[in-house]
Amino acid sequence: MAFLSQISGVLWGGPLLVGFLAVGLYYSLRTGFFQIFGLPVWWKHTVVALFQRQKAEQGGVTQLQALSTALAATIGTGSVAGVAAAIFFGGPGTVFWMWMSALLGMMTGCAEKILAIQYREKDEKGQWRGGPMTYIQLGLKLRWLGCVYALLCVAETLVGGNLAQANSIATALERSVGLSPKVVGVVLAVVVSVVLMGGIRRVSRLSQLLVPVMAVIFIGGGVGVIAVNAQKLPQVMEQIVTYAFAPKAVVGGYSIGLALRYGLARGVFSNEAGVGMSAMAHACAQVEHPGKQGMWGIFEVFFATLVICTVTSLVILTSGVYDPLAAQEMIAAGEIPREMLGSNLAASAFASLWGKAGEWMVTVSLTLFAFTSLVGAGYYGHRGVETLTKSPLVLGVYHVVFPLCVVAGAVGDLAAVWELVDLCNGLLAIPNLATLLLLSPVVLRTLNEWLKKK
């Protein structure tokens, strides 16, 4: 774990932080901060469009289904357990840098979705497919780099999209109802396999059904806690800003470096802007212009981080279950109580108002978050393998290995898994961020064309 933490710390300690912020800032400046000043436009073509009937045509899925699939894969344990861990180990300032990563990441996400539609192709079944590996290969004409991304994608889906999610589900159900992790792992593996056999259409239909349910449960319960503790919000906001810019270690150890490292890493894991994997789901959307799908890319980052992660953060910080000074003392002593770790901290915060029902809100939400992430990751991994080889045998092996990893994740001790998740996300981001910059003329031209029509 120390070795992984050291490598991940070097990767996220400078180069990647600069990369994510630079790409997001570049697109924000070139579009006049469209994510802010163009809010009426992207809101109209996303939220307002949700109330309009959408029909999937041959070879694609609806834009809502594509968004649901992307959200299902991104809003996982990182939005609950990951955010809680980031606050505990990085301090309240991590929330500020999560917000900054999301604000700039909205335009990064927009660029990824535009490229996903601009450079996509149909498979032998007549269904759309695309994503970073495709726009790297077709846009930059670099097949080898697309294959590198695909290989890293497979690795990430087996770690962050599989082991971490399966372990979170098993842990939550064991804590709440006493279910054996082995039983949970086997059942999960079977259900996930059945869903993945139906391809993108079955994955998207399931995601469209579950995403609204899990969002309503989690946001509803969280807003209740925040409302009851509304008088603490000014103090919490002051904490967030103060700890985000602490010039040196404060309260025993928190600093701007820790806040940046944990805040940006967790923000990226919650919305994947810059990592690019959610573009694979958006590439399947039935849409008449790439620019329009870019609006859903903006909304995806907004909802995944500025809504879900913010609810998690404010619930923890306003409920009183977390104290920065006490947390630093625990870290320094190396004795961290179980109730302070990840999802347990979030459950304690919800329970401060809702009691046992609050713990169940977190358990149910976390289980749904993690399950949909598992399914989405399985599809992304399939696309990665498909890019590397067309061999039915290799694809078959992946579809055996993936459920086996589900079982392993459910029963295993994954103390180092979050460090490995950050490492995989960081490695994935390198070729994707470079491609976003190199193909920026295509993105900006396509976006401007669409905006002029509107």
Side-chain angles (χ1 to χ4, degrees):
M1 184 172 179
F3 175 70
L4 289 175
S5 180
Q6 186 175 8
I7 297 178
S8 185
V10 171
L11 195 59
W12 285 96
L16 276 179
L17 296 183
V18 173
F20 278 106
L21 293 175
V23 172
L25 182 60
Y26 172 77
Y27 274 106
S28 297
L29 290 172
R30 290 298 305 273
T31 60
F33 280 88
F34 178 78
Q35 69 271 49
I36 299 175
F37 300 106
L39 188 148
V41 176
W42 63 260
W43 191 264
K44 173 185 176 182
H45 289 279
T46 55
V47 177
V48 176
L50 290 175
F51 298 96
Q52 301 172 358
R53 184 176 178 82
Q54 298 183 24
K55 182 180 179 182
E57 300 177 15
Q58 182 65 32
V61 299
T62 68
Q63 289 176 287
L64 176 57
Q65 288 174 335
L67 172 71
S68 297
T69 303
L71 286 174
T74 55
I75 303 176
T77 56
S79 304
V80 182
V83 169
I87 291 174
F88 187 85
F89 290 102
T94 58
V95 180
F96 178 86
W97 294 111
M98 273 193 286
W99 289 340
M100 290 301 100
S101 76
L103 180 64
L104 297 179
M106 289 165 80
M107 291 315 300
T108 305
C110 176
E112 289 172 343
K113 278 58 177 184
I114 288 175
L115 291 176
I117 301 297
Q118 185 75 27
Y119 298 103
R120 63 177 178 173
E121 54 192 6
K122 286 193 173 183
D123 61 18
E124 59 279 358
K125 297 180 181 178
Q127 295 183 338
W128 288 114
R129 65 182 181 187
M133 63 278 284
T134 306
Y135 58 67
I136 288 173
Q137 292 178 345
L138 299 181
L140 296 182
K141 310 296 183 184
L142 296 174
R143 173 166 173 74
W144 67 269
L145 188 57
C147 289
V148 169
Y149 184 93
L151 185 61
L152 292 170
C153 174
V154 174
E156 203 284 336
T157 58
L158 292 176
V159 179
N162 191 321
L163 294 176
Q165 311 300 340
N167 188 261
S168 295
I169 294 174
T171 301
L173 292 179
E174 183 183 26
R175 181 186 65 229
S176 300
V177 293
L179 285 178
S180 166
K182 290 182 181 179
V183 173
V184 174
V186 172
V187 173
L188 268 179
V190 172
V191 174
V192 169
S193 296
V194 171
V195 174
L196 291 177
M197 283 192 292
I200 184 61
R201 288 184 179 274
R202 186 178 295 176
V203 171
S204 64
R205 285 195 294 267
L206 177 68
S207 300
Q208 186 179 13
L209 174 67
L210 292 181
V211 167
V213 174
M214 64 191 196
V216 167
I217 294 173
F218 189 76
I219 294 174
V223 168
V225 176
I226 297 168
V228 169
N229 297 289
Q231 74 280 3
K232 296 181 181 178
L233 282 175
Q235 179 187 351
V236 165
M237 294 303 298
E238 182 182 358
Q239 259 189 345
I240 289 172
V241 175
T242 300
Y243 280 76
F245 294 99
K248 59 181 180 180
V250 295
V251 198
Y254 288 144
S255 65
I256 185 174
L258 281 175
L260 265 168
R261 189 255 187 263
Y262 281 100
L264 290 186
R266 201 53 54 218
V268 167
F269 187 63
S270 70
N271 59 56
E272 292 188 357
V275 177
M277 289 199 297
S278 66
M280 295 181 225
H282 287 268
C284 302
Q286 195 66 44
V287 61
E288 68 277 8
H289 196 283
K292 186 174 183 179
Q293 200 63 29
M295 302 303 101
W296 288 101
I298 295 175
F299 177 79
E300 177 188 320
V301 177
F302 166 80
F303 187 77
T305 303
L306 292 183
V307 175
I308 299 293
C309 290
T310 296
V311 169
T312 303
S313 302
L314 294 183
V315 167
I316 292 171
L317 294 174
T318 61
S319 63
V321 299
Y322 163 82
D323 177 72
L325 179 58
Q328 274 299 305
E329 290 175 350
M330 294 175 196
I331 294 171
E335 298 177 358
I336 303 173
R338 183 179 176 85
E339 60 269 19
M340 290 289 105
L341 294 174
S343 61
N344 291 334
L345 180 58
S348 299
F350 271 74
S352 67
L353 172 66
W354 303 106
K356 192 67 177 179
E359 294 182 6
W360 272 102
M361 286 179 187
V362 173
T363 298
V364 172
S365 300
L366 190 64
T367 300
L368 291 176
F369 287 166
F371 174 70
T372 54
S373 289
L374 266 175
V375 173
Y379 172 71
Y380 295 164
H382 173 91
R383 282 285 299 115
V385 174
E386 198 175 42
T387 300
L388 295 169
T389 177
K390 303 298 182 184
S391 169
L393 177 62
V394 178
L395 283 169
V397 170
Y398 177 79
H399 284 287
V400 171
V401 171
F402 193 84
L404 288 177
C405 284
V406 172
V407 177
V411 302
D413 179 12
L414 304 180
V417 75
W418 285 111
E419 296 293 346
L420 197 54
V421 167
D422 286 346
L423 179 60
C424 287
N425 277 330
L427 293 175
L428 266 173
I430 294 172
N432 188 58
L433 290 173
T435 302
L436 290 176
L437 286 177
L438 292 172
L439 293 180
S440 61
V442 176
V443 173
L444 296 170
R445 181 175 65 248
T446 303
L447 179 60
N448 288 330
E449 287 176 357
W450 183 75
L451 290 175
K452 286 180 180 179
K453 291 180 181 179
K454 300 300 172 184

